[in-house]
Amino acid sequence: MNGACACGVIFLGTGAGMPSKQRNVTSIALNLLDERGFYWLFDCGEGTQQQILHSPVKLGRTEKLFITHLHGDHIYGIPGMLTSRSYLGGDTPLTVYGPPGIKSFIETALSVSDAHLTYQLHIVEIADEGVICEDETFRVETARLEHRVECFGYRIIEKDQPGKLQLDKLAELKVPAGPIYGKLKQGQDVVLEDGRTLHGADFVGSPIPGRIVTILGDTKYCKGSLQLAQHADVLVHEATFAMSKQELAYAFDHATSVDAARTAQEMGAKTLIMTHISSRYQGDDTDLLLQEAMAIHADSHIAKDFWSFDIPKKS
């Protein structure tokens, strides 16, 4: 867990509402597969592209941008990020997902500023809860949260991987290495030269479970956050205020550190990382938020700008 880690969750901005000297406004990068070489961004507050310059994130290798809601501290960095991606040689398609209105915001900003992108930009406005994108490796689900404007949280699910080929069993049977191993790994049946038939399922271990990362937008304690957080390996949850400011938090549809910890604990999330911290909590003041959360959910952390959390593959 450090600022140099390139695989896992990377926090580019962890403040709430407006930037402070210690925290920029919200943006998070996710990279679960180094070999894939792509980054996904979640929210893009003002100054995100500047924050990226001080991180391992490669803007030209950004593949998707997920927007939780349309408040300025989550979207004002989008036009600059999109145009800079062109200047940095980004030529692969980029897809933006977000609530209704995100398309109008982006297209207006690019049109008024006469911006010309060197890549295909796709904008998907989320019409309903459920699966919004899926490929051979990941599935992303979304649910509505409770905030002053329409707001979504995202659940990133890595699909289970095939189990490991049991080489010791094959060695005992004197099965020659080569293409046969590849076929067995894929679960196929193989007939050897000596007439023996090997069934792939007999030589492959149990599937390796994929990782689950839940990244929530601004929200108070609600059904949607509980749904998305269930059994997550990492839950990223806002904690704008300490418990002593609960009335203020609820008045503006935000969460306290206790709300975040309750969500993690009740839904069996492994690691809780709190972000979107009010500027009233500076320096050691954030220890209060952490102590409140850890009293409920021991594996809790407070994110800070450029801090990262590695999420190793399961075995």
Side-chain angles (χ1 to χ4, degrees), residues 9 26-30 32 40-44 64-71 74-75 78 95-103 106 122-134 138-146 149-158 211-219 222-238 263 269 271 273 275 311:
V9 188
T26 302
S27 185
I28 299 168
L30 178 66
L32 288 181
W40 292 0
L41 292 181
F42 293 80
D43 286 330
C44 189
K64 297 180 186 294
L65 169 61
F66 299 88
I67 298 299
T68 61
H69 64 293
L70 302 185
H71 279 157
H74 295 256
I75 67 170
I78 296 176
T95 304
V96 179
Y97 301 85
I102 190 63
K103 183 178 179 69
I106 292 174
H122 306 286
I123 304 174
V124 178
E125 294 193 333
I126 301 172
D128 206 351
E129 300 176 313
V131 178
I132 58 169
C133 63
E134 185 171 10
F138 296 103
R139 181 173 75 255
V140 180
E141 300 174 353
T142 188
R144 285 185 173 87
L145 306 176
E146 292 190 22
V149 298
E150 185 161 53
C151 184
F152 291 94
Y154 297 99
R155 178 179 172 91
I156 303 91
I157 303 166
E158 181 182 35
R211 295 160 289 182
I212 299 175
V213 179
T214 297
I215 299 177
L216 303 180
D218 293 3
T219 185
C222 70
K223 177 182 176 181
S225 61
L226 293 171
Q227 173 186 329
L228 294 174
Q230 187 171 17
H231 301 308
D233 293 285
V234 173
L235 167 63
V236 179
H237 197 300
E238 74 131 289
T263 300
T271 298
I273 304 178
T275 187
I311 312 173

